Amino acid sequence: MTSDPAYCAVAVEKTAFSYDQPFHYSIPPALAGRAAPGCRVVVPFGGGKPRLGVVLSLEDVPPGTPQVKPISRLLDDTPLLPLDLVELIPLLKERCFCTLYEAYRAMVPVGLRHEMHVLYSALEPKDAPPEELLDTDERFLLEQLRKTRARGAFIRREALLKKCGLPQDSPLPESLAERGYLLRHTDALQNAGNMTERVYGVNDEETPEGLSVKQAEVFDFLRQNGAASAKELCGYLGVSPAVIQALVKKGVVVGTDDVGAAFLPPGHNTSNAPTQNAADLYTQNAMRSGGKKPPSGRVAIRRAPTDPILLTADQQLAFKHLSNPTKPCALLFGVTGSGKTNVYLRLIDETLARGKSVIVLVPEIALTPQMLAIFTRRYGNDVALFHSALSVGERTDSWKRARGGRAKIVLGTRSAVFAPLQNIGLIVMDEEHEHTYKSEQSPRFHARDIARLRAAKHSALLLLCSATPSLESYANALKGRWQLETLPKRYGAATLPEVRAVDSWGGKFLLGRELRDALEQTLLEGRQAILLMNRRGYHTFLACESCRHVLQCPQCSISLAYHLAGERLLCHYCGYSTRVIDACPECGKPAIRFGGAGTQKLEDELAQLFPEAKIARMDADSAAPKRAREDILRRFAAHDYDILIGTQMVAKGLDFENVTLVGVVSIDQQLYLDDYRSLERSFSLLTQVVGRAGRGKHPGLALVQTINPHNEIIQLAARQDYPAFFAGEIKMRRLMTYPPYCDLCLLGVTGENEQLVKSGAKILLELLRGLTQGEYKDVKVIALGPMPARVGKVSGKFRWRLLLKCANRARTRALIAQILIAFGKDTRFSGVSAYADMNPNTIDS
């Protein structure tokens, strides 16, 4: 019999990239056999101070360091993360230039994370020094603590100071602890966020004797369905928590807080389980309940009977090929409305029939009530949602259901790529070109890259879907690296809309004459329209007519935008807000004028032109409240609104049969940005938004207002001719050596001292030059810069960048990591931070 490993490698929190690594600890005998990869621990670090960590691996041989400290505390009885995600942590660090613990945190919902907190408790008067030496504030704090102590609990430092009305930086608690009046303790506390109660399952398959009617009902339910929470049992069966507790006392039912527990009997299949958590209940009922959560009580959502999906000849051919793929990654390319969703729904059916699980990734904008309704209606309890509109508790609950095997499908945005599913058979990435799949915070990962790694680990198919795939993806498909399937026609009787580019030069209104006439005709026919204006707010800037000064955010180098609500000036980068001023702050003259236009001004103009029309606006302001976006779209689907206006939120993922007119108010600003992806993004945005028209039996019309109606990109998007666009754009990319002919890595420096930031960017270039002339002379790199970012200051921090054209290979990443490590150890730049972003969304960041 072999002994349990005595050592483990741990990813520790709050380490800098310059010294981050797996740190080794010994496993105390009391924790032998319990500490496993994926378990969270508390470990001594940096002078013995406790820190959180997660176990990465177990080792029999002691590490080379002379003294190895033991783990202080084990936070999980069973691993929080499955092994394949634990093994992904070092890969994420190596590819995204983050710390190991940052990689771990990206995989776990906020509600399941622990944080280290300082806790206090008061000593009894007989055990404490004399209180005559204390001042009024100290006595008051001690009194509040003793009230808490009487209830037998410690209190967090933040809560104690708030309770006493003291500032959060007050030294009083520490002072009293040092003088012996308080007990000070540091411990790991889990964030609030469990939506459901404990999970319960039967202890034995045989029905015991002596059960009441209600107890027997609960027992039979659990035996049939494997597991359920107290919330689910009480809600579906109409029993009280006392019935469940009585079964626990009898030993008939057992409960656990283990996120991995499922209580599934051998061979049991949860696909027909009738229970549903509150998050999924909301989704299932949102289309018919006004966006409100359903009432509590005997509510259960079963998988609805669904008719078989009938595929066209093109769809059937794509499905046949994808059912037996020749490559581990495939691209499903089809025009808007061609039925790509139907193809991957059939693939999901087939994958579930093989006993495997599925991840479906969608950009945030595509998580409409329509898509959610399709999945919950078709797959019922098999679906768990990973969506930012859910509360912390709802997201935690969905994660637990996936981890415990009670959900076979995870539907969500970027973070859903880390869903803790086992035995994955299919990963679908809808609208794969969307920039929201790329994280702009550490770890700076692209969901497509993580999906490829996870699909390879599980021998699963990664299916990318888009009407306008990224140039890199389409190039990989054309070169045969990925499997390519094409849907060239719209599904059923629907046809592509007529698209016309309209000259908007010199117009008095935001809406030109042709678009106004088309709107009027659409409303007369009882149809609906969608209008795109990719700027929010009312006016986009304020300027002085006398001295030409433009009002800027004091924290960012960007102009303030005027918002009608509250008549405020807002910064769209840091959120700074101030009232509208009457006089110029530079020259003092009352010559302030407004300029530019956003969605709020468009809404105002529409209300004046069409006073009888019902108008809805969907942008970052109107959709900010929880589930506001879903409510707007639900009401638009019910024809409570005639016109839907918005930013690019309205451009994708929407399917309304009654929409026959789409208007693009202006595309020029997007079209002429100084970014190498501007043409690609403009083509995609235009193709997607015009594709919202004519998706039913009525023909559609799309009007694109522009100062240059003959622009080639607009004409290609009007014809939805992606191959022609690709052929022209790929030539430019080859000529200029841009992706897919290279990878781009942005080395950024940020800090509050502008000169120090600028100097830091120059040092990065010097480090690059030195390493590529020495140890990394085999790595070919083209460096551009250093230069300030397009928005040179955000939230009080200046930003400089260095852009590298390179190949995203292990040696290149090792070079970049070495640069960051060397920079992080340079004490001259302790006031600034450097980071690396491989293939960023924009080179202007």
Side-chain angles (χ1 to χ4, degrees):
M1 180 177 179
T2 58
S3 60
D4 293 313
Y7 302 92
C8 62
V10 177
V12 180
E13 68 168 344
K14 298 178 181 177
T15 58
F17 185 80
S18 57
Y19 65 86
D20 180 65
Q21 62 180 334
F23 294 94
H24 290 86
Y25 292 88
S26 64
I27 301 174
L31 299 181
R34 295 170 55 198
C39 286
R40 294 168 295 182
V41 292
V42 177
V43 295
F45 193 87
K49 293 182 179 179
R51 288 198 189 180
L52 292 169
V54 60
V55 178
L56 299 177
S57 62
L58 302 179
E59 299 174 5
D60 293 310
V61 181
T65 53
Q67 292 183 341
V68 180
K69 298 176 182 178
I71 291 172
S72 303
R73 182 181 166 199
L74 182 67
L75 298 178
D76 300 303
D77 292 329
T78 56
L80 179 74
L81 293 177
L83 188 59
D84 73 308
L85 286 181
V86 177
E87 293 173 345
L88 189 59
I89 289 174
L91 289 176
L92 204 58
K93 169 184 169 64
E94 189 262 343
R95 290 169 179 263
C96 299
F97 311 104
C98 63
T99 67
L100 293 165
Y101 199 80
E102 284 175 333
Y104 149 75
R105 283 174 63 89
M107 302 176 182
V108 179
V110 173
L112 282 174
R113 295 176 188 169
H114 280 71
E115 303 289 345
M116 296 302 297
H117 289 279
V118 177
L119 310 171
Y120 290 98
S121 182
L123 292 171
E124 296 298 334
K126 62 183 178 61
D127 300 323
E131 297 181 18
E132 289 78 8
L133 303 175
L134 300 179
D135 62 25
T136 303
D137 285 342
E138 291 172 334
R139 288 189 183 191
F140 180 71
L141 185 146
L142 197 57
E143 179 184 343
Q144 295 301 314
L145 257 183
R146 281 179 176 155
K147 289 180 180 178
T148 305
R149 175 66 176 169
R151 297 195 297 270
F154 279 77
I155 184 171
R156 289 189 298 115
R157 183 185 189 279
E158 304 84 34
L160 173 62
L161 293 172
K162 184 177 180 181
K163 187 181 184 70
C164 297
L166 296 172
Q168 289 296 310
D169 59 353
S170 172
L172 271 186
E174 285 77 9
S175 173
L176 288 170
E178 290 174 1
R179 291 151 60 192
Y181 291 96
L182 306 183
L183 290 175
R184 185 179 187 274
H185 176 60
T186 304
D187 201 0
L189 301 179
Q190 182 172 315
N191 292 336
N194 284 344
M195 190 190 76
T196 58
E197 302 173 45
R198 302 189 79 193
V199 175
Y200 295 89
V202 297
N203 202 21
D204 195 315
E205 285 293 291
E206 296 297 324
T207 304
E209 297 180 358
L211 298 184
S212 68
V213 175
K214 290 290 186 183
Q215 290 171 354
E217 190 175 0
V218 172
F219 178 85
D220 290 339
F221 180 88
L222 290 174
R223 183 171 56 182
Q224 292 174 14
N225 297 293
S229 68
K231 184 186 292 286
E232 292 170 333
L233 291 170
C234 295
Y236 180 65
L237 300 176
V239 301
S240 68
V243 175
I244 304 169
Q245 293 306 314
L247 289 170
V248 172
K249 289 181 180 179
K250 292 180 179 182
V252 175
V253 165
V254 291
T256 182
D257 291 321
D258 172 18
V259 297
F263 293 118
L264 301 182
H268 182 76
N269 183 358
T270 63
S271 61
N272 293 314
T275 59
Q276 186 76 319
N277 69 0
D280 294 336
L281 281 172
Y282 162 76
T283 302
Q284 187 71 6
N285 289 275
M287 296 293 285
R288 58 175 181 268
S289 64
K292 299 177 181 178
K293 287 187 179 181
S296 59
R298 283 177 170 257
V299 180
I301 301 300
R302 294 180 179 272
R303 179 188 298 191
T306 52
D307 296 327
I309 296 175
L310 301 178
L311 302 180
T312 64
D314 290 332
Q315 290 173 325
Q316 183 61 42
L317 184 62
F319 169 71
K320 179 182 177 181
H321 293 165
L322 294 170
S323 297
N324 297 284
T326 58
K327 305 284 183 180
C329 181
L331 174 64
L332 181 59
F333 164 56
V335 298
T336 56
S338 59
K340 296 180 287 293
T341 304
N342 283 350
V343 175
Y344 69 67
L345 285 175
R346 283 285 301 272
L347 286 171
I348 292 172
D349 293 344
E350 183 184 77
T351 304
L352 294 177
R354 291 188 285 118
K356 294 181 176 290
S357 58
V358 178
I359 296 175
V360 180
L361 301 176
V362 290
E364 184 75 25
I365 193 64
L367 269 181
T368 64
Q370 295 170 320
M371 175 163 283
L372 300 185
I374 289 171
F375 272 81
T376 51
R377 183 172 61 247
R378 188 170 186 83
Y379 302 111
N381 300 333
D382 278 350
V383 180
L385 302 180
F386 283 42
H387 182 207
S388 63
L390 301 177
S391 69
V392 171
E394 289 168 336
R395 276 179 278 175
T396 301
D397 188 68
S398 291
W399 196 92
K400 286 186 173 184
R401 293 180 63 240
R403 179 72 175 100
R406 292 185 291 141
K408 299 298 182 185
I409 302 172
V410 165
L411 171 65
T413 50
R414 181 177 63 223
S415 62
V417 76
F418 296 116
L421 291 172
Q422 301 286 354
N423 197 21
I424 299 171
L426 175 67
I427 301 177
V428 178
M429 196 168 172
D430 204 359
E431 307 290 357
E432 70 87 25
H433 62 278
E434 278 296 318
H435 68 90
T436 52
Y437 283 124
K438 181 69 161 67
S439 171
E440 295 182 352
Q441 302 295 327
S442 186
R444 294 175 172 83
F445 68 91
H446 197 294
R448 181 173 53 233
D449 300 330
I450 306 301
R452 290 182 66 189
L453 291 172
R454 295 204 73 188
K457 184 71 175 179
H458 289 263
S459 299
L461 171 67
L462 171 59
L463 178 62
L464 310 176
C465 306
S466 180
T468 55
S470 65
L471 260 74
E472 294 88 336
S473 295
Y474 197 66
N476 279 328
L478 290 182
K479 291 177 181 177
R481 296 172 183 167
W482 298 352
Q483 186 172 331
L484 176 62
E485 301 297 332
T486 303
L487 301 177
K489 295 178 290 187
R490 278 197 161 183
Y491 182 79
T495 57
L496 291 173
E498 177 191 356
V499 184
R500 295 202 298 267
V502 181
D503 193 341
S504 62
W505 184 265
K508 179 181 178 183
F509 297 99
L510 294 176
L511 300 179
R513 169 55 61 186
E514 193 166 351
L515 185 50
R516 295 202 303 273
D517 291 344
L519 266 173
E520 183 176 6
Q521 184 63 33
T522 299
L523 295 174
L524 285 174
E525 294 173 353
R527 310 292 178 216
Q528 293 171 287
I530 292 177
L531 299 181
L532 169 71
M533 187 171 194
N534 210 17
R535 293 295 296 269
R536 63 189 178 101
Y538 198 93
H539 293 291
T540 56
F541 68 90
L542 277 77
C544 176
E545 290 185 316
S546 177
C547 68
R548 306 299 173 91
H549 173 71
V550 176
L551 273 69
Q552 286 196 327
C553 172
Q555 301 297 319
C556 310
S557 54
I558 196 74
S559 61
L560 294 170
Y562 172 66
H563 285 245
L564 195 60
E567 297 187 345
R568 305 287 291 179
L569 300 177
L570 296 179
C571 174
H572 291 170
Y573 277 74
C574 73
Y576 171 82
S577 171
T578 186
R579 64 178 181 84
V580 177
I581 61 175
D582 298 322
C584 175
E586 288 293 309
C587 68
K589 295 182 179 179
I592 296 294
R593 73 172 183 87
F594 296 95
T599 50
Q600 291 180 6
K601 187 174 183 181
L602 175 61
E603 182 181 23
D604 195 26
E605 183 175 297
L606 280 168
Q608 295 179 39
L609 291 171
F610 305 101
E612 301 299 321
K614 293 166 290 186
I615 304 165
R617 173 171 54 86
M618 194 165 76
D619 53 25
D621 300 313
S622 64
K626 184 178 179 182
R627 297 192 171 105
R629 181 184 303 167
E630 287 87 342
D631 185 55
I632 292 170
L633 294 175
R634 178 191 59 79
R635 296 186 63 187
F636 187 69
H639 209 159
D640 291 345
Y641 298 119
D642 302 305
I643 304 172
L644 175 64
I645 66 175
T647 54
Q648 59 182 341
M649 290 183 181
V650 303
K652 308 137 192 170
L654 305 183
D655 189 356
F656 300 109
E657 289 191 359
N658 201 43
V659 172
T660 56
L661 174 66
V662 163
V664 180
V665 177
S666 176
I667 192 63
D668 299 312
Q669 186 174 26
Q670 170 84 25
L671 196 59
Y672 298 112
L673 285 175
D674 56 344
D675 189 293
Y676 79 100
R677 289 190 186 274
S678 62
L679 297 183
E680 179 182 2
R681 287 179 176 153
S682 298
F683 176 87
S684 175
L685 183 63
L686 284 172
T687 302
Q688 294 287 344
V689 72
V690 302
R692 301 311 105 197
R695 299 175 74 90
K697 59 184 179 181
H698 306 290
L701 171 66
L703 298 178
V704 181
Q705 294 188 161
T706 173
I707 61 173
N708 182 12
H710 303 293
N711 182 281
E712 184 183 11
I713 300 302
I714 296 176
Q715 297 299 323
L716 290 172
R719 300 197 302 269
Q720 298 220 359
D721 192 349
Y722 179 84
F725 164 76
F726 176 86
E729 184 69 5
I730 201 71
K731 293 178 182 177
M732 187 278 293
R733 298 284 184 91
R734 183 188 297 113
L735 181 66
M736 302 296 293
T737 316
Y738 276 117
Y741 295 101
C742 74
D743 291 287
L744 296 179
C745 182
L746 187 146
L747 291 177
V749 183
T750 65
E752 296 179 355
N753 186 314
E754 185 175 12
Q755 289 304 315
L756 202 58
V757 170
K758 182 178 179 180
S759 299
K762 292 179 178 178
I763 291 297
L764 288 180
L765 181 60
E766 291 178 13
L767 289 170
L768 173 68
R769 184 180 291 116
L771 287 169
T772 52
Q773 291 175 353
E775 181 183 355
Y776 292 92
K777 64 173 58 179
D778 58 310
V779 178
K780 305 300 180 184
V781 176
I782 300 174
L784 305 177
M787 66 197 85
R790 183 171 59 88
V791 180
K793 182 184 178 186
V794 173
S795 298
K797 292 187 176 182
F798 295 93
R799 310 191 303 168
W800 276 65
R801 57 189 175 154
L802 182 66
L803 189 66
L804 310 182
K805 294 183 178 181
C806 57
N808 188 7
R809 298 181 182 135
R811 283 286 290 169
T812 308
R813 294 191 293 269
L815 163 66
I816 295 167
Q818 193 65 36
I819 292 171
L820 294 177
I821 290 171
F823 186 87
K825 292 179 178 179
D826 192 331
T827 57
R828 294 174 299 171
F829 300 102
S830 57
V832 301
S833 60
Y835 66 91
D837 189 358
M838 186 64 75
N839 291 317
N841 268 328
T842 173
I843 60 176
D844 287 326
S845 59

